[in-house]
Amino acid sequence: IIKNLETRDKFLRRQMTIIEGDLYNASKLRESQFNLKRYPFIKEVKITSKEGGAYNKMILNVEIEEQERSGTISVGLALSTVENFSFMAQVQQTNLFGYGWTINFRALLGSRSKIFNINFIDPYFLDTDFSLSLQAFNEEVEYRDFTPTRRGGRVYLGYPIYKNLYRLNFGYNFESVVISNVAQAQKSLIKGGLTNSVTTGIYRDTRDRFGYFETREGSLTYLSGEFAGGPILRGDNSFGKLTFEHRKFVPVFN
């Protein structure tokens, strides 16, 4: 593996489905190239071969061209009849320390909204095949009849069950909602409280690039179930929720 300046070899080798000593396999080479190019901080991947130390051996060179920058800072100002004036800022790094870690912080401040959200993703938690996702949020939005303040976090673990296309996810969600400024007519309809829930789901991801703005083709499909409250999780709210979603990405222009 050559020409990778920021991304560590350890992370790149995990994307390879063909390893030293394997029989030559063109399908595995194409799959390895596909896995590498899915990450937004990888611009191009070129795999070439040359003669090895014996007549029946070859050396594979995996040439990595990285994006010039793997981090972004976004700042925005908006005027509207609802918020009047609002300010938005987002900082994202998709290849933190060369390990493929993603960290994203987003803030939105307006006359009626105060939203803070931070998310961290480790695709290979503690050098295992498990992925780890952590999220914390603090949101306050002032509506006409009430003002909810939401605080909480989420912890998710994922595990591949077939290549890098199918994954199982397990998660725990914690959310505290405090309702204030409730109109008299809405008091019996609006409820806050503490919610503890667990989520499990299966994902199928064939996107050519991770990240919705970078994706050109492929699909993302998942089926998940969320269960809250009850005698084990407790809290103020109990429910069960089943979610199915399918997204298909089609290139519009060449």
Side-chain angles (χ1 to χ4, degrees):
I1 297 179
I2 57 176
K3 295 190 177 181
N4 50 309
L5 302 178
E6 293 186 12
T7 311
R8 297 175 184 259
D9 272 27
K10 179 170 62 174
F11 175 84
L12 298 172
R13 289 180 182 276
R14 281 187 175 274
Q15 316 310 317
M16 303 293 295
T17 57
I18 188 169
I19 61 175
E20 289 89 341
D22 281 354
L23 291 174
Y24 180 85
N25 189 311
S27 297
K28 286 187 174 182
L29 280 180
R30 288 193 296 268
E31 185 179 325
S32 301
Q33 189 174 32
F34 174 78
N35 291 342
L36 286 165
K37 290 180 66 176
R38 301 179 81 185
Y39 290 91
F41 49 86
I42 303 295
K43 185 176 181 180
E44 191 57 69
V45 178
K46 184 179 179 182
I47 300 178
T48 57
S49 61
K50 63 180 181 180
E51 185 178 347
Y55 76 94
N56 62 342
K57 295 182 183 295
M58 66 166 58
I59 297 173
L60 292 178
N61 286 323
V62 182
E63 184 178 330
I64 303 294
E65 182 182 355
E66 297 170 313
Q67 298 285 358
E68 291 185 2
R69 291 173 177 82
S70 58
T72 59
I73 298 177
S74 304
V75 177
L77 299 173
L79 293 173
S80 70
T81 57
V82 176
E83 285 280 358
N84 295 324
F85 173 82
S86 61
F87 169 79
M88 183 276 294
Q90 178 170 306
V91 179
Q92 178 173 279
Q93 171 63 254
T94 57
N95 190 19
L96 189 64
F97 305 130
Y99 287 111
W101 297 346
T102 296
I103 187 167
N104 184 17
F105 174 76
R106 183 173 70 94
L108 189 150
L109 298 174
S111 60
R112 293 174 174 242
S113 302
K114 296 178 180 63
I115 298 175
F116 300 93
N117 194 308
I118 186 168
N119 189 36
F120 172 78
I121 299 174
D122 181 357
Y124 299 103
F125 180 54
L126 297 178
D127 281 337
T128 67
D129 287 332
F130 283 95
S131 62
L132 172 69
S133 175
L134 303 173
Q135 183 183 16
F137 56 88
N138 187 339
E139 304 177 358
E140 180 181 311
V141 181
E142 181 182 340
Y143 297 104
R144 185 180 64 179
D145 296 324
F146 65 101
T147 301
T149 301
R150 301 172 60 245
R151 296 185 178 94
R154 300 181 177 95
V155 181
Y156 280 84
L157 286 174
Y159 190 82
I161 55 176
Y162 178 69
K163 299 182 178 180
N164 283 329
L165 303 180
Y166 291 83
R167 300 183 70 86
L168 279 176
N169 274 18
F170 308 92
Y172 168 72
N173 311 285
F174 168 82
E175 182 181 47
S176 174
V177 179
V178 177
I179 307 294
S180 59
N181 303 325
V182 185
Q184 188 65 33
Q186 308 295 332
K187 284 188 175 181
S188 61
L189 302 176
I190 299 174
K191 179 183 179 182
L194 178 66
T195 302
N196 289 310
S197 68
V198 293
T199 303
T200 182
I202 183 170
Y203 283 70
R204 179 181 183 270
D205 190 349
T206 64
R207 292 175 294 167
D208 64 333
R209 302 280 284 184
F210 294 131
Y212 294 114
F213 293 106
E214 292 85 10
T215 303
R216 293 180 291 258
E217 57 186 1
S219 64
L220 176 61
T221 307
Y222 69 86
L223 175 67
S224 66
E226 182 179 4
F227 308 93
I232 298 177
L233 297 172
R234 299 184 179 278
D236 299 315
N237 301 304
S238 297
F239 61 85
K241 182 169 66 174
L242 188 66
T243 302
F244 173 78
E245 184 168 338
H246 175 74
R247 302 180 184 186
K248 177 69 175 177
F249 299 85
V250 180
V252 179
F253 305 103
N254 290 330

